[in-house]
Amino acid sequence: MDLTAYRTVGRSGLVVSPLALGTMTFGTPRWGVDEAGARTLFDTYLGQGGNFIDSADIYSGGASEAMVGRFIADAGVRDQVVLATKFGFNASASPLAAQAGRPGNPNAGGAGAKNIHRALDASLKRLGTDYIDLYWMHIWDGVTPVEEIMHTLGDLVRAGKIRYFAFSDMPAWLAMKAATIASERRVPGPVAMQLEYSLVARDIEREHVPAALEAGMAVMPWSPLAGGFLSGKYQRGQSGGAGRLGGANPFGDSKFTEKNWAILDVLAEVAAEQERAPAQLALAWLLGRPGVGTVLVGASTLAQLNDNLAALGCTLTPEQRARLDEVSAMAPGFTDSLASPAIRRMVFGGNAVRGWGE
Ligand SMILES: NC(=O)c1ccc[n+]([C@@H]2O[C@H](COP(=O)([O-])OP(=O)(O)OC[C@H]3O[C@@H](n4cnc5c(N)ncnc54)[C@H](OP(=O)(O)O)[C@@H]3O)[C@@H](O)[C@H]2O)c1
């Protein structure tokens, strides 16, 4: 498999590569990459058949979107690229503030109609385009009714300013409610979920993945390498050093737990058996998980990007996958117990009834 192993975004007609190029590093100080480096990443990804670029208004205070806009224009590939960006985090306290009013403006963030229209117009300007292919709600604000979000985003689809929309970092029930409203009312609905998902972050398997499968939404994992942890470059007992996890960053150092080191040990064993880098195996594991459509990869160097793209040529044996599944398994939670054979037998009078598709 390579970047041209295109697939749809969930139950939609939007066609994308199995790995998207995440642009959170573009223009980000300390752990990011400058414009020349970002252009190389962009050109390399596109050169290998990649078509899916993921940005956000908040990344490097708008610099990421501005770079992506320039790269697309210079390469003349607007129609070829599936361009995704996001709204939701408040812009008024960042370099985006010039378009967002005085610091503390509550309507310069969130999923209310006022902010979505403001954020989209600003993104379109930075990206130098008149439409977004996939517009993400970056994070649920906890207050805007889902009906309002659907109304605003549906109007933007009908107006041609966005082609599709999807939700990131939200409770599963919210996405499910939106999908249900969409199918009942025959209006545009969310086509994907963007969530933290990796060998060391499997929480979404409880509620989000089943909801995504039921509603035809693709699961798109972010931080698939846990910010670089799963590359194996960090060592037990050391601070993170110069890497992203080594200093003040939005992801902290919470990846350095005993359980995560144990997962990394097994990943390293499997990587040695395959004679490949651990990062490739971590991505291959994720690409094979139920519900996963496209994985968002991030890189701060060209070597990292090439390493990550090579994951598409990597196949885990069933035994290797089982070892990784086992070491990274979550402790059973409430919904797991509901699906247990014992409960099934209690419900069906001692019979082990098999459900549709099981
Ligand atoms: N929706 C959301 O809330 C959300 C949140 C986060 C990210 N995202 C999206 O997901 C994309 C990917 O997320 P992420 O950047 O956190 O992914 P990640 O793969 O978990 O971390 C990427 C970082 O890991 C290191 N790295 C990457 N490949 C490596 C390799 N082969 N070997 C060694 N180190 C490697 C680099 O950090 P060093 O510079 O330290 O080497 C790189 O910046 C982002 O660009 C963004 O588009 C979305």
Side-chain angles (χ1 to χ4, degrees), residues 45-66:
Y45 172 80
L46 250 68
Q48 293 193 27
N51 77 340
F52 192 10
I53 306 292
D54 184 77
S55 192
D57 58 355
I58 204 74
Y59 291 168
S60 51
S64 166
E65 283 186 334

Side-chain angles (χ1 to χ4, degrees), residues 74-94:
D74 292 349
V77 290
R78 181 64 194 90
D79 286 341
Q80 177 186 321
V81 161
V82 173
L83 179 56
T85 195
K86 316 186 188 79
F87 68 88
F89 284 104
N90 200 290
S92 70
S94 76

Side-chain angles (χ1 to χ4, degrees), residues 21-25 31 54-55 59 86 89 138 168-169 194-195 221-229 231 233-234 242-245 251 279 296-300 303-305 307-308:
L21 180 63
T23 64
M24 193 171 68
T25 49
W31 48 266
D54 184 77
S55 192
Y59 291 168
K86 316 186 188 79
F89 284 104
H138 204 154
S168 157
D169 303 348
Q194 187 172 144
L195 302 158
W222 58 259
S223 283
L225 301 180
F229 179 81
S231 72
K233 72 168 120 189
Y234 298 98
R244 190 205 292 183
L245 301 181
F251 306 91
L296 305 169
V297 294
S300 62
Q304 289 178 356
L305 179 65
D307 197 15
N308 296 342

Side-chain angles (χ1 to χ4, degrees), residues 205-230:
E205 291 176 11
R206 291 194 204 288
E207 298 281 349
H208 293 80
V209 172
L213 288 168
E214 174 72 18
M217 288 181 262
V219 173
M220 298 199 185
W222 58 259
S223 283
L225 301 180
F229 179 81
L230 291 168

Side-chain angles (χ1 to χ4, degrees), residues 30 196 198 200-201 225-249 251-264:
R30 198 180 84 73
E196 183 177 13
S198 72
V200 298
L225 301 180
F229 179 81
L230 291 168
S231 72
K233 72 168 120 189
Y234 298 98
Q235 309 296 323
R236 272 183 178 86
Q238 292 178 356
S239 76
R244 190 205 292 183
L245 301 181
N249 66 77
F251 306 91
D253 63 356
S254 59
K255 303 301 178 198
F256 301 155
T257 66
E258 253 328 296
K259 173 159 189 195
N260 290 353
W261 290 120
I263 294 168
L264 194 57

Side-chain angles (χ1 to χ4, degrees), residues 152-176:
T152 308
L153 293 171
D155 281 352
L156 291 173
V157 171
R158 282 179 285 268
K161 292 177 88 170
I162 63 175
R163 301 291 185 254
Y164 299 87
F165 65 85
F167 295 164
S168 157
D169 303 348
M170 73 300 159
W173 66 259
L174 185 93
M176 199 66 213

